Amino acid sequence: MTIQAQLPDRPPADSPLFDRLTLGIEAHHPFVVDSFALLDHRTRARSIPEQAAPPGRYLSVEHDEQTRLIPLDRPITHIGRGLAADVRLEDAHVSRRHAIVALRAEGIRVLDDRSSNGTFVNGRPVTVAALSDGDVMRFGRVVLRYVEVAPRRKPQPLRRIPLARRPRGRELAGAAA
Protein backbone atom coordinates (compact mmCIF):
# COMPACT_ATOMS: atom_id res chain seq x y z
CA MET A 1 0.00 0.00 0.00
CA THR A 2 1.37 3.40 -0.95
CA ILE A 3 0.40 6.62 0.79
CA GLN A 4 0.94 9.89 -1.00
CA ALA A 5 0.65 13.30 0.58
CA GLN A 6 0.77 16.72 -0.92
CA LEU A 7 2.78 19.35 0.89
CA PRO A 8 1.04 22.69 1.44
CA ASP A 9 2.25 25.65 -0.59
CA ARG A 10 4.73 27.19 1.84
CA PRO A 11 8.06 28.80 1.23
CA PRO A 12 11.07 26.65 2.16
CA ALA A 13 12.42 27.01 5.71
CA ASP A 14 15.55 28.79 4.48
CA SER A 15 13.53 31.43 2.61
CA PRO A 16 13.29 34.96 4.09
CA LEU A 17 9.50 34.76 3.65
CA PHE A 18 9.33 31.85 6.07
CA ASP A 19 10.34 34.13 8.97
CA ARG A 20 7.49 36.54 8.25
CA LEU A 21 4.67 34.03 8.57
CA THR A 22 2.50 34.45 11.65
CA LEU A 23 0.68 31.38 12.82
CA GLY A 24 -3.08 31.71 13.15
CA ILE A 25 -3.44 34.96 11.19
CA GLU A 26 -4.38 34.98 7.53
CA ALA A 27 -3.46 37.84 5.20
CA HIS A 28 -7.04 38.75 4.26
CA HIS A 29 -8.04 39.45 7.90
CA PRO A 30 -7.05 42.80 9.43
CA PHE A 31 -4.86 42.19 12.46
CA VAL A 32 -4.95 45.64 14.01
CA VAL A 33 -8.30 45.85 15.77
CA ASP A 34 -9.71 47.57 18.83
CA SER A 35 -9.50 44.73 21.35
CA PHE A 36 -11.87 46.52 23.73
CA ALA A 37 -14.60 46.43 21.08
CA LEU A 38 -14.23 42.62 20.90
CA LEU A 39 -14.96 42.19 24.63
CA ASP A 40 -18.55 41.31 25.46
CA HIS A 41 -20.69 43.66 27.54
CA ARG A 42 -20.13 41.72 30.82
CA THR A 43 -16.35 41.86 30.48
CA ARG A 44 -16.43 45.55 29.50
CA ALA A 45 -18.58 46.35 32.53
CA ARG A 46 -16.09 44.54 34.85
CA SER A 47 -13.12 46.50 33.49
CA ILE A 48 -11.80 49.44 35.49
CA PRO A 49 -9.56 52.39 34.60
CA GLU A 50 -5.87 51.81 35.28
CA GLN A 51 -5.66 54.78 37.68
CA ALA A 52 -8.46 53.40 39.91
CA ALA A 53 -7.09 49.85 40.15
CA PRO A 54 -6.42 48.39 43.59
CA PRO A 55 -3.38 46.12 43.98
CA GLY A 56 -3.77 42.82 42.17
CA ARG A 57 -3.41 40.95 38.89
CA TYR A 58 -5.14 42.10 35.73
CA LEU A 59 -5.52 41.72 31.98
CA SER A 60 -4.97 45.08 30.35
CA VAL A 61 -6.66 46.30 27.16
CA GLU A 62 -6.23 49.68 25.48
CA HIS A 63 -9.26 51.69 24.37
CA ASP A 64 -9.35 55.30 23.11
CA GLU A 65 -5.91 56.12 24.51
CA GLN A 66 -6.98 54.81 27.92
CA THR A 67 -5.96 51.55 29.55
CA ARG A 68 -8.72 49.42 31.06
CA LEU A 69 -7.97 46.54 33.43
CA ILE A 70 -9.92 43.29 33.71
CA PRO A 71 -9.40 41.81 37.21
CA LEU A 72 -8.13 38.25 37.58
CA ASP A 73 -9.91 37.69 40.88
CA ARG A 74 -10.49 33.92 40.61
CA PRO A 75 -7.95 31.08 40.83
CA ILE A 76 -9.05 29.92 37.35
CA THR A 77 -10.18 32.35 34.63
CA HIS A 78 -11.58 30.95 31.37
CA ILE A 79 -11.02 33.01 28.22
CA GLY A 80 -13.01 32.34 25.07
CA ARG A 81 -16.01 33.03 22.85
CA GLY A 82 -18.42 30.73 24.71
CA LEU A 83 -21.10 31.92 27.11
CA ALA A 84 -19.41 30.18 30.06
CA ALA A 85 -16.14 32.10 29.63
CA ASP A 86 -15.15 34.53 32.41
CA VAL A 87 -13.45 36.83 29.89
CA ARG A 88 -15.66 36.58 26.81
CA LEU A 89 -14.22 37.64 23.45
CA GLU A 90 -16.54 38.23 20.50
CA ASP A 91 -14.14 37.28 17.73
CA ALA A 92 -14.63 34.50 15.18
CA HIS A 93 -10.91 33.63 15.48
CA VAL A 94 -11.34 32.81 19.18
CA SER A 95 -12.50 29.34 20.21
CA ARG A 96 -15.41 28.91 22.61
CA ARG A 97 -12.94 27.56 25.16
CA HIS A 98 -9.71 29.21 24.04
CA ALA A 99 -7.43 29.55 27.08
CA ILE A 100 -7.22 29.36 30.86
CA VAL A 101 -5.36 31.73 33.18
CA ALA A 102 -4.44 29.93 36.40
CA LEU A 103 -3.28 31.66 39.59
CA ARG A 104 -1.03 29.36 41.60
CA ALA A 105 1.25 29.81 44.58
CA GLU A 106 4.33 29.58 42.34
CA GLY A 107 2.99 32.21 39.91
CA ILE A 108 0.48 32.72 37.15
CA ARG A 109 0.22 30.64 33.99
CA VAL A 110 -1.74 30.72 30.76
CA LEU A 111 -2.78 27.40 29.23
CA ASP A 112 -4.12 26.91 25.72
CA ASP A 113 -7.46 25.06 26.01
CA ARG A 114 -7.13 23.12 22.72
CA SER A 115 -8.02 26.25 20.71
CA SER A 116 -8.20 26.21 16.91
CA ASN A 117 -5.94 29.20 16.25
CA GLY A 118 -3.61 28.90 19.23
CA THR A 119 -2.58 31.07 22.15
CA PHE A 120 0.41 33.38 21.78
CA VAL A 121 2.57 34.93 24.50
CA ASN A 122 4.99 37.64 23.37
CA GLY A 123 4.46 36.52 19.76
CA ARG A 124 5.24 32.83 20.32
CA PRO A 125 2.70 30.01 20.20
CA VAL A 126 2.35 28.29 23.59
CA THR A 127 0.44 25.46 25.20
CA VAL A 128 1.52 26.45 28.74
CA ALA A 129 3.48 29.56 29.68
CA ALA A 130 4.39 31.31 32.93
CA LEU A 131 3.42 34.98 32.84
CA SER A 132 5.28 37.94 34.24
CA ASP A 133 4.30 41.58 34.44
CA GLY A 134 4.05 43.12 30.97
CA ASP A 135 3.70 39.90 28.92
CA VAL A 136 1.50 40.30 25.84
CA MET A 137 -1.01 37.56 25.02
CA ARG A 138 -2.96 37.12 21.80
CA PHE A 139 -6.15 35.11 21.44
CA GLY A 140 -7.37 35.27 17.83
CA ARG A 141 -7.23 38.98 16.98
CA VAL A 142 -7.55 40.14 20.59
CA VAL A 143 -4.37 41.39 22.27
CA LEU A 144 -4.24 41.59 26.08
CA ARG A 145 -1.36 42.42 28.40
CA TYR A 146 -0.83 40.81 31.81
CA VAL A 147 -0.34 43.50 34.47
CA GLU A 148 0.47 43.32 38.17
CA VAL A 149 -0.48 46.41 40.17
CA ALA A 150 1.75 46.67 43.23
CA PRO A 151 0.40 48.02 46.52
CA ARG A 152 0.92 51.71 46.90
CA ARG A 153 3.20 52.41 49.84
CA LYS A 154 1.87 54.91 52.30
CA PRO A 155 4.45 57.45 53.42
CA GLN A 156 5.77 56.63 56.88
CA PRO A 157 5.02 59.33 59.44
CA LEU A 158 8.06 61.00 60.91
CA ARG A 159 9.01 59.79 64.37
CA ARG A 160 9.71 62.39 67.01
CA ILE A 161 13.06 61.89 68.66
CA PRO A 162 13.66 63.84 71.87
CA LEU A 163 16.88 65.82 71.87
CA ALA A 164 17.80 65.55 75.56
CA ARG A 165 16.87 62.29 77.14
CA ARG A 166 17.72 61.25 80.67
CA PRO A 167 16.81 57.92 82.13
CA ARG A 168 14.27 58.33 84.92
CA GLY A 169 15.83 55.69 87.11
CA ARG A 170 19.06 57.69 87.54
CA GLU A 171 17.30 60.87 88.61
CA LEU A 172 15.54 59.04 91.43
CA ALA A 173 18.70 57.23 92.53
CA GLY A 174 20.68 60.51 92.70
CA ALA A 175 17.97 62.30 94.71
CA ALA A 176 17.83 59.52 97.35
CA ALA A 177 21.60 59.66 98.06
Side-chain angles (χ1 to χ4, degrees), residues 98-102 109-114 119 126-129 139:
H98 198 97
I100 298 170
V101 176
R109 298 186 311 175
V110 63
L111 299 91
D112 185 71
D113 198 6
R114 300 183 312 260
T119 299
V126 298
T127 53
V128 176
F139 313 101

Side-chain angles (χ1 to χ4, degrees), residues 82-93:
L83 294 174
D86 300 314
V87 176
R88 190 160 174 257
L89 308 174
E90 296 175 342
D91 180 15
H93 294 95

Side-chain angles (χ1 to χ4, degrees), residues 120-153:
F120 295 81
V121 175
N122 297 327
R124 298 178 192 267
V126 298
T127 53
V128 176
L131 295 177
S132 58
D133 191 21
D135 283 346
V136 176
M137 296 175 287
R138 182 169 60 83
F139 313 101
R141 295 183 300 159
V142 178
V143 177
L144 302 173
R145 181 182 303 270
Y146 171 69
V147 176
E148 293 178 1
V149 176
R152 292 178 183 89
R153 293 181 54 186

